[in-house]
């Protein structure tokens, strides 16, 4: 079974029930009541109401010290107490993609402190990043987070902090989907 390519299927049934779905920037996507995530392949699939495909890829910007810290504290998805999730597909602008790698890293890490801010919310928030840009998908990234109800307020605080950063000024499409495990 493939463990790097996943389909996120929006449908009428699935293991996660949608509690809210907001298009924060750019075109909305069709409302669905449930989402399921399945191991998949690059073969185009037309399942459910919509399917978004993402790949687990290598790190682009994280240096060794941060990587070691992340590996030491982060939790895996699927913890039984983490009954809430957020699925946030994101696209960044052409201006972002026209920057060089070192300029993008500077904006993410030096100016926006993405990892430093995020790290404060570990291990409570479990996270997974999927890349979609290079496979012709409508979003560049699919982000998935799982947390316990007791950490819901902290998750909102984290999002609020990240969305104020210079990095986010390059986000031109963002759909915020919240879920509860059923
Ligand atoms: C990328 C950490 C929360 C969206 C990254 C990277 C790290 C990181 C280390 C860089 C990966 C690389 O080197 O390629 C964290 C931590 C978080 C967190 C520790 C705490 C929970 C969030 C949240 C969002 C988010 C709440 C928003 C929905 C993204 C996106 C990328 C990314 C879209 C890819 C950016 C790009 O490659 O241009 N995150 N993150 N992260 N994160 Fe976070």
């Amino acid at each position: 079974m493939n463990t790097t390519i996943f389909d996120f299927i929006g449908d009428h049934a699935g293991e996660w029930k949608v509690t809210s779905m907001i298009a924060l920037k750019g075109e909305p996507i069709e409302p669905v009541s449930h989402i399921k995530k399945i191991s998949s392949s690059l073969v185009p699939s037309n399942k459910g109401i919509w399917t978004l495909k993402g790949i687990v890829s290598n790190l682009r910007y994280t240096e060794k010290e941060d990587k070691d810290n992340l590996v030491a504290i982060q939790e895996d998805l699927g913890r039984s107490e983490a009954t809430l999730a957020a699925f946030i597909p994101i696209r960044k602008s052409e201006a972002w993609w026209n920057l060089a790698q070192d300029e993008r890293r500077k904006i993410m890490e030096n100016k926006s402190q993405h990892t430093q801010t995020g790290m404060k919310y570990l291990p409570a928030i479990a996270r997974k990043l999927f890349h979609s840009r290079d496979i012709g998908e409508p979003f560049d990234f699919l982000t998935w987070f799982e947390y316990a109800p007791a950490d819901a307020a902290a998750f909102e605080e984290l999002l609020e902090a990240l969305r104020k950063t210079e990095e986010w000024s390059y986000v031109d499409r963002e759909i915020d989907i919240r879920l509860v495990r059923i």
Side-chain angles (χ1 to χ4, degrees), residues 41-81:
S41 73
L42 283 177
V43 177
S45 35
N46 242 332
K47 289 174 279 209
I49 296 167
W50 46 251
T51 300
L52 293 173
K53 225 177 242 308
I55 303 179
V56 179
S57 186
N58 58 287
L59 296 170
R60 275 29 174 198
Y61 307 108
T62 312
E63 294 181 343
K64 181 172 164 48
E65 191 185 341
D66 279 345
K67 184 185 169 200
D68 290 346
N69 286 337
L70 284 165
V71 169
I73 12 179
Q74 70 196 0
E75 286 278 2
D76 286 335
L77 302 181
R79 293 168 296 171
S80 59
E81 71 276 17

Side-chain angles (χ1 to χ4, degrees), residues 58-62 70 88 90 92 96-97 108-109 114-115 118-119 121-122 125 127 129 131 141 143 145 155 158-159 162-163 167-168 174:
N58 58 287
L59 296 170
R60 275 29 174 198
Y61 307 108
T62 312
L70 284 165
I88 309 182
I90 287 178
K92 285 182 172 174
W96 172 262
W97 294 109
M108 268 190 77
E109 299 303 344
H114 185 122
T115 305
M119 208 84 96
Y121 297 86
L122 304 186
I125 313 293
R127 51 179 272 277
L129 174 66
H131 286 257
F141 308 100
T143 65
F145 306 91
F155 184 65
L158 166 61
L159 279 177
L162 288 176
R163 286 176 177 147
E167 182 193 351
W168 245 256
E174 179 173 9

Side-chain angles (χ1 to χ4, degrees), residues 106-136:
K106 246 179 233 154
I107 293 167
M108 268 190 77
E109 299 303 344
N110 304 8
K111 297 185 178 174
S112 306
Q113 312 226 309
H114 185 122
T115 305
Q116 203 178 318
T117 302
M119 208 84 96
K120 291 191 243 159
Y121 297 86
L122 304 186
I125 313 293
R127 51 179 272 277
K128 194 90 194 160
L129 174 66
F130 302 86
H131 286 257
S132 295
R133 177 176 169 82
D134 293 344
I135 51 170

